[in-house]
Amino acid sequence: EKSRLGHQSEGAGSGGMGATDPSPTRPPGIARGLGAVTSNKMRSVIGAIESAGIPEVDYAKLLALFEGKHSKILVSRHAAAITRVCRVHERGFPLRDLPQLCKLFRFAYDQVAAGKAKEFEEALCSVMSIFAKPFRAHNAADEHRCENDVAKAFGMVSECLSAKDMPLSVRLLASEALRLFASAHGERPSALDTVPTPFDGGETSNSRDTPESNPGPGAALAGLGAVVKPPPPRKFARNQELFRRGGCVPLVLSGLATANSVGDDQLQLAVVRVLLEASYSADNARALAEGGLFSGLAPLLRSDFRSPIVFHASELMWNVLESVRDSPVGGAQLETATGTGSKGFCAAFSQLVATTLREGHRKSDKELRNDLLITARMLAEDGRARASLRVAGLGDVARHVAVHPELGASSTTGLNRLEDGVVHPLANTTSAQDFEMKRLAWELLATLADDAAGVALARGQFVACLLTFVQPLTGASASVEGAGSRWTGQQLRDLQAQALRLLARLAPLCVDELTAQGAGETAVAVASPDSPADDDQRAAALDLLITVTHADEAAAERLGAAGGGGGAPPPGGG
């Protein structure tokens, strides 16, 4: 060391090349720092560091073992070899190895189909457990280069859900792997993150183009909220696309049919959870609709409504119907999505709604009940589904919920005013959830009555109930007990405005019923300056008045003769 230091000092004193190395401890060859290493060498060094932790497997030898003339009968050794490969890649399969790995796993599938499921169960369980983990990449470009391989690999994973003689344990682990992949291993964005509109906040977010009357949420934060909403996480969108590209949607639907035929609750729940994760992508949701999802869900809806299967199935139906309805050709696809040709689904769904209304009283029960009412309304937007739901009795159930208890005691003997045999007594409160139930029941009944064949549901009690809520706005007291006193002030105002809008919606179909019950005169009274109605209610009353007079010329002449045709002031009482 002294000799080396002395040599360097001598070089430094003589002005030779030794003067370029200021560090006596740096090894020779690195004297000029990293700049002496070429860019190609640097890339190779970085690549070696990144891939150093990924083990290598000689797949050619393994395939030779599987297909060899003298070794192809060694079934236990084949299964053990696949298990060892999974043990080697316990941290995740390498993306570059997927084509060769799929050959190994295809061999295992073929062995199961040949009646050797017991021998390969442990090996395939190991395979599905590793598929549930993120893949490993040698470099950043592998994710893009190997996309097709990933799609094919998960298509193969989906196959085992409906493969003949596949062990139940393998199917459960495969379902979990598919669910995790579709959710990007927990990176699924929230509904707010998927909204494409930016935050409209303050001076840094184009506030000069924002009307002062609607400054946006960022203005309240003094511009701190002026950030463009981030796009959905790239990994989630990519995984959903690969899920669809790999043909997983029809394969998982086939797996649902297999689970229904087996009748295993655990497998049914696992498959439904996979479908639920896929439904968060609009494209996958529409693919599920086209694949006949609702027919496959019919057996699950006959389960106990408190079962996790029903909870997940409810959210799944909502996601799919919402995606189909929002699509450019939603009307044509909605008939396919709702399975309107399947009366079994409509019967099972209607029975589920009725059971939840009758027996549900906990907070979670009420949340499920309201979700089902929303789903029912979206289903009823399709004409054929609307007819099937009416035949299944959903219209009668909705009418009971809509008019009770405002129309007094039920006709069912032995029940008091708060009990009608359709809705649980503890669900007839004025809580936020039960208030939402009342509004949803009104919307559902109006949708089920939205054609000539179903308008009979609205005649009589429903129209009378709606007018009962509106009567306090005319200055008269409600003729039926409970309509004006049961709800809080804001709840009653919201219900009154909704009642007026629904009456206007029903007027073209049953104007004779509305005329007979005095809907026109009620609308005139609500729109008058002396009415206690607010602007929203008065505007709804004017819409009702216009609709009634357009649908019935005699009513227009009668109201005009009475001085009501042009006496209604505009909203605001002007």
Side-chain angles (χ1 to χ4, degrees), residues 81-366:
I82 295 177
T83 303
R84 285 197 298 272
V85 170
C86 295
R87 192 177 299 120
V88 167
H89 295 307
E90 62 179 355
R91 296 173 59 189
F93 289 130
L95 286 167
R96 295 182 181 181
D97 293 357
L98 284 179
Q100 299 299 324
L101 286 167
C102 287
K103 292 180 181 179
L104 301 183
F105 306 150
R106 178 64 62 187
F107 173 82
Y109 277 26
D110 294 339
Q111 295 299 306
V112 170
K116 301 172 184 176
K118 184 177 181 180
E119 292 84 348
F120 281 86
E121 180 176 3
E122 181 181 357
L124 286 173
C125 284
S126 300
V127 170
M128 301 307 166
S129 298
I130 305 301
F131 266 118
K133 301 178 181 180
F135 293 114
R136 304 188 68 190
H138 289 77
N139 55 45
D142 280 356
E143 290 189 3
H144 176 69
R145 294 173 179 171
C146 301
E147 284 187 347
N148 290 333
D149 296 331
V150 173
K152 292 178 182 178
F154 275 99
M156 186 200 70
V157 173
S158 304
E159 289 181 26
C160 82
L161 297 181
S162 57
K164 181 181 179 181
D165 298 329
M166 187 64 67
L168 176 62
S169 57
V170 178
R171 290 176 175 170
L172 291 174
L173 288 172
S175 299
E176 181 65 9
L178 289 165
R179 186 189 69 82
L180 288 171
F181 177 75
S183 67
H185 297 87
E187 295 185 13
R188 171 167 53 85
S190 67
L192 294 177
D193 293 333
T194 58
V195 178
T197 57
F199 284 115
D200 199 8
E203 298 178 356
T204 59
S205 182
N206 297 327
S207 61
R208 298 176 181 177
D209 299 332
T210 304
E212 294 182 359
S213 59
N214 185 23
L221 302 176
L224 296 178
V227 179
V228 176
K229 192 178 293 295
R234 183 184 64 85
K235 186 177 180 181
F236 171 78
R238 168 183 167 272
N239 284 14
Q240 289 282 351
E241 179 187 355
L242 295 180
F243 190 92
R244 181 173 61 258
R245 193 191 304 177
C248 298
V249 170
L251 291 171
V252 177
L253 286 174
S254 179
L256 177 62
T258 301
N260 291 337
S261 63
V262 173
D264 186 273
D265 294 345
Q266 192 177 8
L267 181 58
Q268 289 173 324
L269 175 59
V271 177
V272 167
R273 293 180 70 190
V274 177
L275 295 172
L276 177 58
E277 286 297 337
S279 70
Y280 289 109
S281 164
D283 292 334
N284 282 335
R286 287 190 285 269
L288 288 171
E290 295 171 358
L293 167 69
F294 283 74
S295 297
L297 290 179
L300 305 181
L301 301 183
R302 298 186 177 94
S303 307
D304 181 7
F305 72 91
R306 294 188 176 94
S307 168
I309 296 178
V310 174
F311 174 80
H312 288 93
S314 172
E315 188 172 359
L316 172 59
M317 290 187 292
W318 188 342
N319 289 350
V320 172
L321 287 170
E322 200 168 41
S323 297
V324 173
R325 186 181 60 177
D326 294 341
S327 65
V329 288
Q333 292 185 353
L334 187 58
E335 297 180 358
T336 303
T338 54
T340 52
S342 173
K343 295 182 179 180
F345 165 74
C346 292
F349 179 80
S350 300
Q351 183 61 38
L352 174 64
V353 174
T355 303
T356 308
L357 285 165
R358 184 175 61 251
E359 301 179 9
H361 60 88
R362 303 178 305 176
K363 180 178 180 180
S364 58
D365 298 342
K366 294 181 179 182

Side-chain angles (χ1 to χ4, degrees), residues 494-573:
D494 292 341
L495 288 171
Q496 288 168 337
Q498 183 182 6
L500 289 166
R501 288 193 294 268
L502 292 179
L503 287 169
R505 177 179 174 181
L506 295 171
L509 295 170
C510 57
V511 66
D512 56 334
E513 179 75 19
L514 269 67
T515 301
Q517 297 201 32
E521 290 78 6
T522 300
V524 171
V526 173
S528 66
D530 299 332
S531 170
D534 57 25
D535 290 349
D536 185 29
Q537 295 166 337
R538 191 169 282 110
L542 288 174
D543 289 339
L544 171 60
L545 182 61
I546 292 172
T547 306
V548 170
T549 54
H550 284 178
D552 186 359
E553 296 181 359
E557 295 177 358
R558 183 176 64 257
L559 293 173

